[in-house]
Structure formats: structure tokens, C-alpha cells
Amino acid sequence: FIMNWETIKIDSSRQGRNTAYASIGFGRIVLNSAACGLVENFTEYKYVQILKARKDGKLCVGIRLLKDYKENSIKIGKRKVKGVVVENSLSIDNKSLMEDLFGIQGTQNKSTRYPIVLDDDEKNILVIYGE
């Protein structure tokens, strides 16, 4: 009996390649390439400040990208895939900060994806809309 194999078409938008998101968990925030691509000249930024606000009672976390160190800023980490640094990536590792912002979801040993958008007013701030 010969199997008549048929290739299944993969919808690339469902894989998240084209959708900007932030993964929260393991004590860190990791942005995918699409999220980093929302900011012009993303690779020029070396630090971030973490901001928070409420919109309609829901937590919003802002990531202000900075080219130089300022008070209360954190150096941007880069994601590594199989030991290779992903240039258009951002990782912020700070377990206590993640717990303060996202509670148990910030530190548990799994990631939760959140949508992320560019701020309407400041083009160096990415906004994560929480639950």
C-alpha cells in the first residue's frame, strides 16, 4: 500500500512570524523580530526603561528604548537561537521586575504571549497590553 502524501499549507501568520508580540515568563520579557521591527533603527538602541500605566483598568507595560544609559535603565539583552545571537531581538532578564509587573505569569516556567504595539505619541516606546 502506497501512501498518497499531501503537504499541508502552513499559514505563516498563525506561526506568529508576522505578528508583533512579547513573551512573558521565566523572569524575562522577550520580543520577537516583528515587535522589534516596529521601531525605526531598532539596533541603535542599547538600553530600556520599563514604564507602567493603566488603561481601562488593565495593566499596560511600556518599554522605552534608549540609545544611552539613563537612570533606572536596563541594558538590552539579545535572544540566542542555537548559540547564535539574533540581531533584531530584545530580552530583558529581571525576575523581580517581571514578578512585580506580571505576577506569577512573569516568573513561571512557561511563556505567555502578549500583543505589543508602538506608542502613538513616542516612537521609541513599545506598549504591552496586559490582562
Side-chain angles (χ1 to χ4, degrees):
F1 179 73
I2 297 173
M3 297 294 278
N4 189 11
W5 292 109
E6 185 181 329
T7 302
I8 305 297
K9 184 181 182 314
I10 304 296
D11 180 0
S12 63
S13 64
R14 287 181 57 198
Q15 286 186 316
R17 278 189 220 146
N18 305 328
T19 307
Y21 65 84
S23 295
I24 311 294
F26 300 95
R28 64 181 168 252
I29 297 174
V30 177
L31 303 187
N32 72 341
S33 292
C36 297
L38 294 172
V39 178
E40 272 187 52
N41 303 318
F42 175 80
T43 53
E44 292 178 10
Y45 295 98
K46 305 295 179 219
Y47 296 90
V48 295
Q49 286 176 326
I50 305 300
L51 316 167
K52 72 177 184 178
R54 295 234 167 239
K55 183 175 181 176
D56 302 326
K58 294 184 178 193
L59 173 70
C60 297
V61 175
I63 300 173
R64 177 182 283 138
L65 298 158
L66 303 168
K67 293 180 181 176
D68 300 303
Y69 177 84
K70 287 191 177 151
E71 190 175 359
N72 296 315
S73 65
I74 301 169
K75 187 160 178 53
I76 293 174
K78 296 290 184 185
R79 224 175 85 220
K80 288 183 183 171
V81 178
K82 296 180 183 169
V84 178
V85 173
V86 178
E87 210 34 59
N88 213 24
S89 68
L90 178 144
S91 177
I92 301 163
D93 296 80
N94 189 316
K95 197 169 189 169
S96 61
L97 177 62
M98 294 309 120
E99 190 167 25
D100 288 348
L101 290 172
F102 299 99
I104 191 72
Q105 280 190 325
T107 57
Q108 64 189 356
N109 289 332
K110 69 176 194 147
S111 290
T112 304
R113 286 184 178 177
Y114 290 87
I116 190 165
V117 296
L118 193 59
D119 184 72
D120 292 334
D121 301 314
E122 294 187 56
K123 299 304 177 198
N124 67 326
I125 297 179
L126 292 164
V127 182
I128 301 167
Y129 291 102
E131 312 257 298

